[in-house]
Amino acid sequence: RLMRAAPALWAHLGWRGLALAGPGAGWIVVGLGLVLTDRPAVNRATGPLIDLMCIEAWGGVWIACGVLGLAAGVMRPGRDMWGFAAVSLPPTVWALSYLAAAASGRYSPGWATVPVYSVILLLLVIIAALTGGHRRICTCERGGHGGH
């Protein structure tokens, strides 16, 4: 059944929808991890953010942005730049926090994680630019499998 559903899902999502829904689903999991698990290194690396609000609240931000990205990816094609903004926000904030924690000595290994979040952002920008910023073409209503 899953294999039969895959072409229809691809016809609806395409690259742009997948670039929104994939990170969206991932950010929900990251957020749940922040809410449900104790991660001392993350607490140190995100110290500048924890000064603003607790790690569980930041987990809620990851979850909310993930839900928005997932929703933007699976909704009918249309203007979806808000979805890219949503999935870009958490890694941007996290990269800045890790950088600030490394620069201040609060978490000196933080510099090594900044490229990970930066690459995620770079790929999101590239996909948003390459797939156009106005409309995703959904072939699912016409029975096609283009996924453009």
Side-chain angles (χ1 to χ4, degrees):
R1 289 183 190 215
L2 181 60
M3 294 307 287
R4 282 188 229 149
L9 182 61
W10 174 249
H12 180 70
L13 290 177
W15 287 113
R16 191 170 181 90
L18 185 61
L20 289 164
W27 292 177
I28 292 168
V29 174
V30 170
L32 288 171
L34 292 172
V35 171
L36 301 174
T37 64
D38 182 29
R39 300 169 61 188
V42 172
N43 289 345
R44 286 194 310 276
T46 58
L49 297 176
I50 294 174
D51 291 345
L52 300 173
M53 61 185 187
C54 68
I55 195 73
E56 292 82 8
W58 284 108
V61 170
W62 280 85
I63 292 168
C65 289
V67 168
L68 290 172
L70 190 58
V74 300
M75 287 175 64
R76 287 282 182 234
R79 298 186 188 279
D80 55 11
M81 284 306 293
W82 57 270
F84 279 99
V87 296
S88 296
L89 178 67
T92 301
V93 172
W94 241 236
L96 293 172
S97 181
Y98 273 73
L99 187 61
S104 70
R106 197 173 197 171
Y107 184 66
S108 56
W111 66 269
T113 304
V114 173
V116 173
Y117 291 114
S118 300
V119 167
I120 291 168
L121 291 169
L122 176 63
L123 291 174
L124 287 168
V125 168
I126 289 170
I127 291 170
L130 289 177
T131 58
H134 302 292
R135 291 189 56 80
R136 268 190 300 122
I137 300 168
C138 178
T139 59
C140 56
E141 292 177 352
R142 295 177 295 194
H145 301 295
H148 301 305

